[in-house]
Amino acid sequence: MATDENALICDLAETYNILDYQKFPCSLIAILASGLKDDSRIKLKLQEQKVGIETLLLAGINDRLTLLMQGLSGNKRIRQPYITDELQNLGKRESARLFDTGEEFMTKRQTFLKKGVMKND
């Protein structure tokens, strides 16, 4: 819980339909938390991973297949970024921007569409 209580709450709600974990004994919550899947939010957080191993493996397969097909076709285009590279850079990008009103969002959206780039103000 000390790592990320919100992630644990979401995982318990999604997996076990437990919306208020505090109504249950701590030992039961610990047992249920240990039974969460390896790609649950809290387990990824504890392992300091952004995505699960299955996602990384599938991205790697896709990257290698794309590279193989590009080589077999004789296409000499500039190499496109690998999905695995993008997955590794997930935490290095700007965080999501939150808006208090719909009008604020629409104003920022119009700015984004005009400039083509959204920057954090």
Side-chain angles (χ1 to χ4, degrees):
M1 288 210 208
T3 302
D4 191 343
E5 185 178 9
N6 290 334
L8 181 61
I9 290 170
C10 289
D11 289 337
L12 291 173
E14 180 180 12
T15 305
Y16 304 113
N17 284 336
I18 295 176
L19 301 178
D20 187 3
Y21 73 91
Q22 294 174 340
K23 291 182 179 178
F24 297 90
C26 187
S27 59
L28 176 63
I29 296 302
I31 291 168
L32 294 175
S34 69
L36 291 169
K37 294 182 179 181
D38 289 335
D39 64 346
S40 65
R41 293 165 191 84
I42 192 66
K43 285 195 175 181
L44 290 176
K45 186 86 169 198
L46 289 169
Q47 297 168 2
E48 298 179 0
Q49 294 180 333
K50 300 294 180 190
V51 295
I53 188 70
E54 243 181 60
T55 302
L56 284 175
L57 288 172
L58 289 171
I61 290 168
N62 180 76
D63 289 344
R64 299 320 184 272
L65 182 59
T66 301
L67 186 62
L68 177 65
M69 294 303 295
Q70 186 176 358
L72 290 174
S73 70
N75 190 348
K76 302 294 182 192
R77 292 186 312 171
I78 297 173
R79 180 182 77 85
Q80 297 178 353
Y82 291 128
I83 295 173
T84 49
D85 293 341
E86 295 297 317
L87 290 174
Q88 290 174 350
N89 292 326
L90 281 177
K92 298 175 185 171
R93 295 197 178 139
E94 292 181 15
S95 61
R97 171 88 192 266
L98 301 177
F99 299 97
D100 294 324
T101 65
E103 292 80 22
E104 185 183 348
F105 168 76
M106 292 306 288
T107 302
K108 192 64 172 180
R109 180 178 181 268
Q110 287 302 319
T111 304
F112 171 73
L113 293 174
K114 287 179 185 174
K115 290 181 182 178
V117 175
M118 183 182 275
K119 295 182 179 177
N120 234 352
D121 295 333

